[in-house]
Amino acid sequence: MTAHVPKDGCVSNTGQLRRRWPLSGWRTTSEDVTKQRPFRWLIYDNNGSYNGYFDWLPLWMRVGYWSPVTVLFMTAFYVSMITRKPGRLEFAMAIQAEESGRTVWWTCVDTLVFVWGVVVLVHAKRTMDNVGALFMSYTGWSWTLLTARAGCEAAASLLSSVDLPGVAGFLAVVGSALRFPAAVAAVITFTVWNFVLLPLIGLVATPREKRKHFLKFNFGFLMTNVHMINLPLALVGNVWGPTARLFTTSDLWIGYLIVMLYSILYLFVMDRLGLHFYPVFCPRSAFCGMSFGLVLYLYYDLLHRGNAVMLMMNPHLAPVASE
């Protein structure tokens, strides 16, 4: 006995008809999905958990379609970064103003911050099994930003004294542009880790018998630097000192640009690898859009609060603010 097979269907091993293309009331088989969608989102066949590190997360947060809310919010954010970009990005360069008060002392401060930042990164490279995890984290980006900011401005000051104005000017602009992203990232990293994540992980999530080991890890050389010492290193010579300057709309846009670049890394690379460092930014949850929106508002709020603090710490900036 033979069965008649329609053009849009096939007969299963049990003799039951199944559709190749999903119509109303029909369930798509795994074979059909493979043929319809040859592109695989996950790079590895790991159920969205790299080396099993994130098996503690529910499967729906690791595998599946993104929430439409996330798609709409991120699309609007990326488009607005283009349409709402300031007509001209301007960043005051400390080395160009004679009255800026930049001295050999403050150049040395920036140099020391840069050298120390590199030392910590080298230490991480030599001691971590996979240093790539550091550079994929917001904490790693924060440390890299403060190191790059100090290095660019120190180099600009040094090169300006040896008659290399072109290179010095370029580095000064880059260093000045990194001031706000470096400062706000350090504030967020310091605050969230020490006052939110550390108590939750150390006192709630970690079993009592493992807390001593966790605290030893947390107060080790690397973690102490990137989560505690990072704040003063990001602020000295940046928001405090004779070279401090108020943040502007250009600084806010650069800060948002850093957020956009990290979101691309997190959503389009790390999610496909199965790396979920920050579950609140899970794209499969509608809460993701709210989380990113909160980050954007936090950057905006910290810019204005930072300017208010700088005016108190640096009275010489008051005439600039009133202009």
Side-chain angles (χ1 to χ4, degrees):
M1 179 178 178
T2 59
H4 174 68
V5 182
K7 293 182 179 180
D8 61 345
C10 63
V11 178
S12 66
N13 294 333
T14 60
Q16 295 178 336
L17 176 67
R18 71 171 188 265
R19 295 276 185 176
R20 286 193 181 276
W21 308 108
L23 299 176
S24 177
W26 294 82
R27 182 181 297 275
T28 309
T29 66
S30 59
E31 178 185 354
D32 298 333
V33 173
T34 302
K35 291 184 177 181
Q36 293 178 51
R37 304 184 184 90
F39 174 74
R40 292 181 54 188
W41 178 254
L42 294 178
I43 296 176
Y44 302 114
D45 188 15
N46 57 7
N47 278 334
S49 177
Y50 188 83
N51 283 346
Y53 295 150
F54 300 92
D55 287 348
W56 55 275
L57 281 175
L59 184 62
W60 69 266
M61 296 184 70
R62 298 182 272 121
V63 179
Y65 292 108
W66 288 10
S67 166
V69 176
T70 300
V71 175
L72 291 174
F73 182 89
M74 299 312 297
T75 300
F77 173 43
Y78 295 156
V79 171
S80 65
M81 283 297 296
I82 300 174
T83 59
R84 304 296 294 177
K85 177 181 176 294
R88 182 179 180 182
L89 297 176
E90 297 181 338
F91 306 98
M93 295 180 291
I95 64 171
Q96 286 190 346
E98 295 180 0
E99 67 276 12
S100 65
R102 175 171 282 278
T103 62
V104 175
W105 162 251
W106 287 101
T107 300
C108 290
V109 169
D110 280 343
T111 303
L112 289 175
V113 171
F114 171 72
V115 171
W116 186 251
V118 173
V119 167
V120 172
L121 292 177
V122 171
H123 172 80
K125 176 66 171 63
R126 298 182 63 179
T127 58
M128 294 182 66
D129 294 334
N130 188 355
V131 73
L134 176 64
F135 293 106
M136 284 188 171
S137 68
Y138 184 81
T139 298
W141 278 46
S142 171
W143 187 264
T144 303
L145 285 172
L146 72 88
T147 302
R149 195 285 308 169
C152 286
E153 296 210 276
S157 181
L158 293 172
L159 291 175
S160 65
S161 62
V162 294
D163 197 24
L164 287 174
V167 179
F170 172 76
L171 291 176
V173 171
V174 174
S176 185
L178 292 178
R179 284 188 168 215
F180 175 68
V184 71
V187 170
I188 292 176
T189 300
F190 179 90
T191 304
V192 172
W193 176 259
N194 292 294
F195 298 102
V196 179
L197 296 181
L198 178 59
L200 286 176
I201 298 175
L203 301 178
V204 179
T206 304
R208 184 180 298 272
E209 62 274 10
K210 295 183 179 180
R211 288 178 185 173
K212 183 177 180 180
H213 176 74
F214 172 76
L215 292 176
K216 181 180 179 181
F217 164 75
N218 180 72
F219 292 102
F221 178 81
L222 177 62
M223 297 292 282
T224 299
N225 274 277
V226 299
H227 287 142
M228 299 179 187
I229 300 179
N230 66 321
L231 184 60
L233 292 185
L235 300 184
V236 65
N238 184 353
V239 301
W240 175 70
T243 61
R245 66 168 180 81
L246 297 178
F247 298 134
T248 65
T249 304
S250 296
D251 293 293
L252 183 62
W253 189 86
I254 291 295
Y256 284 165
L257 178 64
I258 299 296
V259 173
M260 184 186 77
L261 293 176
Y262 187 76
S263 72
I264 292 174
L265 171 68
Y266 190 82
L267 297 176
F268 296 96
V269 178
M270 295 172 63
D271 187 70
R272 296 186 64 192
L273 292 172
L275 296 170
H276 309 280
F277 290 175
Y278 313 107
V280 293
F281 297 107
C282 170
R284 294 163 188 85
S285 169
F287 187 73
C288 177
M290 184 183 301
S291 299
F292 271 108
L294 181 61
V295 170
L296 298 181
Y297 172 77
L298 191 59
Y299 269 62
Y300 174 84
D301 186 64
L302 287 175
L303 180 139
H304 291 283
R305 292 182 183 274
N307 281 344
V309 171
M310 280 192 285
L311 286 174
M312 291 189 295
M313 298 175 62
N314 307 278
H316 66 280
L317 295 177
V320 178
S322 61
E323 291 179 359

